[in-house]
Amino acid sequence: MDYKSLNHIQGKNGSRWTQFIRGIGTENLLMVAIDAAKYTHKALISTFYGEVLVKPFEFDASTPGLELIKQKIKAEKDRYNMIEVVVGIETTGHYYEDLVLHCQLEGFHVRTINAATTAEERRALLNWSKTDNLDLLAILQSMIHGRGTFNELPTGKVHNLQKLTRARRELVNERSAIKNLILVHMDHIFREFQGKTVWIDGKKEKIKPLSDNFGKASRYLMRYYPHPSDILELGEQGLRDLSVRENLKLRDSCIQCLLEFAKESISKPKEKVETDIFLLAQRLDQLDFLTEQIKVLERKIEDLFVQTEGGLLLSVPGIGVVTGAEFFAEMGDISDYCHAGQLIKMAGTNPIVKQSGDRRPSYFAISKQGRKQFRNITYHVGKSLAINNPKMNQKYHELIDRGKKSGQAYIALGNRMIRLAFSMIRNQTLYQTDEEKYVLYDEVNKKLHKVNVEHFFENFVVSPVSHPA
């Protein structure tokens, strides 16, 4: 059998496992299944054929606990003259990471097994119960059947970039929630501040005093003059003077609209909404803090991104620093993949295909069986490309003309970007286009700070391995 022919990522893992056990011999393998937890782990030791040598036992997540399990493994290995030890650890949260590290340092072969895999193993055994002992048996069976991977824990710049981009994503989501709360408070204090419906020539239109609910002028007014009575007290001249003094850039039309909406407002008197005004000020403080934290994170992401091979993606129009960094970080190390289709499946953006016999295959919605974070950023990358990349914009309209919905088109463009990124990173090439207006320096200069523009050209243009093919 030609193991290399199984170039699907799961096929490759299975082939490596087969090669491993054939080289060692199943009778020479000591199998250890570990169910990781925060404080107390649980393990069992058996042969490759599932014969339990040491019944399930607990050990602490500490140095004495690790010494205990190492002693038990050594005792069974010597007793049965085993050659190699294979440890299977379920990827429970982040608690499994220290176990993986120490087992690898001890010279054991570590297989990390996804929790979904053990759940499927229990389901295959028609057992709906879930206990620690059943989990251990499921981990053991998964190891024997070749599931899991020998991959080491992620480390290095790509791993750190993933931590930073995920932290930024959490802060952005938190900031969005704060913004929604601010708007709720403003609905109670001055509901027309966000705009209202007016009738013009018999047609209904929505008019907003300020174009951006969270721009500089909006945030200043919400903090110091949130109630309609505050606006009316300032008056037209007061708003003009305030705009000049604080550089709010309020136009005359905006000032007139604010005064008109404040005069006709149906909001409660100011003394009735004092609690909302107090909470509004707190939410605005939270918004300012989160915005500053995100800004600091984004600079940290930029500085690290240009030091990785993923920095090549910045040569693509429509791929900014934050989007490109998150996209590359979720892709991770591509050295273990043979083709971009494996990455697309990892993202879960591959279509479900059903085909039987001589029937034509049918294509359904995307599988959503991969990493959620990777799938989300793939969608956002496709959306950004559809707007900001001329070539991709053309492809987007072609997809729409063929009857695709916007979301489907964004996913398709995101998948195209996965293929493009895979090729660029593997071959160390910059983005290639025949667009007349495209200039690499201009493209990179508008995305990076000056010092990082220099780093980009040093890493990807001056270096011999980075020249376009």
Side-chain angles (χ1 to χ4, degrees):
M1 178 179 179
D2 182 8
Y3 298 110
K4 293 182 179 180
S5 65
L6 296 173
N7 65 353
H8 186 280
I9 190 63
Q10 292 179 355
K12 285 178 65 180
N13 285 332
S15 297
R16 289 170 182 171
W17 173 247
T18 303
Q19 289 175 306
F20 172 74
I21 62 175
R22 281 188 174 178
I24 304 298
T26 55
E27 69 281 0
N28 297 316
L29 290 175
L30 188 70
M31 312 294 285
V32 182
I34 300 179
D35 185 15
K38 185 170 185 176
Y39 300 112
T40 305
H41 309 307
K42 202 163 189 179
L44 70 78
I45 303 175
S46 81
T47 67
F48 180 84
Y49 302 104
E51 300 169 293
V52 178
L53 303 178
V54 179
K55 292 182 179 180
F57 63 94
E58 294 182 337
F59 63 99
D60 294 336
S62 61
T63 300
L66 292 172
E67 289 299 324
L68 172 65
I69 189 171
K70 285 193 288 187
Q71 290 172 7
K72 287 182 177 289
I73 291 173
K74 185 178 185 305
E76 298 305 313
K77 183 181 178 183
D78 294 342
R79 181 181 304 172
Y80 294 97
N81 295 318
M82 299 293 190
I83 297 177
E84 297 289 352
V85 177
V86 180
V87 179
I89 304 176
E90 186 181 54
T91 56
T92 307
H94 57 271
Y95 305 129
Y96 75 100
E97 295 179 357
D98 290 334
L99 282 171
V100 171
L101 177 61
H102 285 279
C103 287
Q104 288 174 341
L105 291 174
E106 202 63 27
F108 303 149
H109 300 276
V110 181
R111 301 278 290 181
T112 53
I113 300 169
N114 193 290
T117 300
T118 56
E120 288 297 324
E121 193 66 44
R122 287 197 306 272
R123 191 175 292 112
L125 295 173
L126 301 179
N127 194 332
W128 288 0
S129 299
K130 186 184 185 304
T131 66
D132 289 343
N133 289 352
L134 287 175
D135 283 343
L136 288 173
L137 292 173
I139 293 170
L140 179 62
Q141 289 297 318
S142 298
M143 293 165 60
I144 293 172
H145 294 155
R147 300 187 181 98
T149 175
F150 278 134
N151 288 352
E152 296 184 359
L153 291 174
T155 57
K157 293 178 181 177
V158 179
H159 182 54
N160 291 332
L161 189 64
Q162 186 183 86
K163 283 187 174 182
L164 290 172
T165 54
R166 288 187 177 182
R168 179 195 170 275
R169 177 64 60 182
E170 290 176 2
L171 289 182
V172 168
N173 291 338
E174 189 176 344
R175 183 174 64 178
S176 297
I178 293 296
K179 286 183 176 181
N180 289 335
L181 290 174
I182 288 173
L183 296 180
V184 170
H185 289 306
M186 284 304 296
D187 281 338
H188 292 293
I189 300 168
F190 183 4
R191 66 178 301 148
E192 295 84 3
F193 185 81
Q194 301 170 49
K196 71 174 185 178
T197 299
V198 297
W199 293 88
I200 301 176
D201 297 330
K203 294 182 179 180
K204 184 172 64 174
E205 293 186 20
K206 181 180 178 180
I207 303 297
K208 296 176 62 176
L210 300 163
S211 58
D212 185 356
N213 287 331
F214 296 97
K216 180 180 178 180
S218 296
R219 285 185 284 113
Y220 187 89
L221 291 174
M222 285 191 291
R223 183 177 291 277
Y224 299 107
Y225 304 96
H227 196 263
S229 62
D230 298 327
I231 300 295
L232 292 174
E233 186 177 345
L234 278 172
E236 184 175 345
Q237 189 58 46
L239 284 169
R240 284 201 180 97
D241 294 341
L242 181 68
S243 176
V244 173
R245 185 174 69 249
E246 301 296 336
N247 194 27
L248 302 182
K249 298 180 180 179
L250 296 175
R251 296 182 178 180
D252 288 343
S253 58
C254 169
I255 292 174
Q256 294 299 329
C257 189
L258 276 172
L259 289 170
E260 180 182 344
F261 283 7
K263 184 178 180 180
E264 298 176 355
S265 176
I266 60 172
S267 298
K268 298 176 183 177
K270 189 173 182 178
E271 61 271 13
K272 299 286 187 180
V273 290
E274 288 294 338
T275 300
D276 282 292
I277 293 174
F278 172 78
L279 292 174
L280 173 64
Q282 286 199 322
R283 302 300 186 193
L284 288 169
D285 288 340
Q286 290 176 304
L287 178 62
D288 291 342
F289 176 77
L290 287 171
T291 301
E292 184 60 30
Q293 289 294 303
I294 291 170
K295 189 181 298 183
V296 172
L297 255 180
E298 289 177 348
R299 182 56 194 266
K300 185 76 173 177
I301 288 169
E302 178 188 325
D303 293 342
L304 183 58
F305 188 34
V306 294
Q307 298 177 33
T308 68
E309 58 186 1
L312 286 163
L313 303 182
L314 292 172
S315 63
V316 181
I319 299 295
V321 172
V322 173
T323 304
E326 188 173 352
F327 182 69
F328 171 69
E330 295 302 333
M331 282 179 61
D333 183 9
I334 67 169
S335 61
D336 201 37
Y337 298 91
C338 295
H339 56 84
Q342 295 168 343
L343 286 168
I344 291 174
K345 184 161 187 180
M346 184 176 73
T349 53
N350 58 305
I352 297 173
V353 184
K354 294 186 178 180
Q355 189 268 340
S356 179
D358 57 353
R359 296 180 180 178
R360 296 180 61 183
S362 299
Y363 296 87
F364 297 85
I366 60 174
S367 68
K368 296 186 179 181
Q369 291 180 316
R371 298 179 187 171
K372 183 178 180 180
Q373 294 94 336
F374 192 16
R375 183 164 59 254
N376 288 343
I377 191 59
T378 298
Y379 173 88
H380 288 298
V381 162
K383 185 174 182 179
S384 178
L385 291 171
I387 298 171
N388 302 304
N389 187 299
K391 290 286 186 182
M392 293 294 191
N393 178 265
Q394 180 181 351
K395 184 64 180 178
Y396 170 78
H397 288 292
E398 290 177 3
L399 291 168
I400 295 298
D401 292 340
R402 284 164 47 189
K404 299 293 184 182
K405 297 180 180 178
S406 294
Q408 294 173 318
Y410 296 151
I411 289 291
L413 293 181
N415 286 342
R416 286 174 70 90
M417 188 60 219
I418 290 177
R419 297 188 185 95
L420 177 60
F422 182 83
S423 176
M424 290 174 64
I425 294 171
R426 169 155 290 191
N427 300 317
Q428 286 292 286
T429 57
L430 295 164
Y431 180 68
Q432 303 292 298
T433 180
D434 55 4
E435 288 287 327
E436 294 182 0
K437 296 182 180 180
Y438 178 83
V439 178
L440 177 61
Y441 179 82
D442 294 341
E443 185 65 34
V444 175
N445 188 54
K446 67 184 180 183
K447 299 175 182 177
L448 298 172
H449 289 84
K450 184 176 180 179
V451 64
N452 286 325
V453 172
E454 295 175 0
H455 289 325
F456 177 90
F457 279 87
E458 288 173 1
N459 294 336
F460 307 117
V461 180
V462 177
S463 176
V465 297
S466 304
H467 280 300

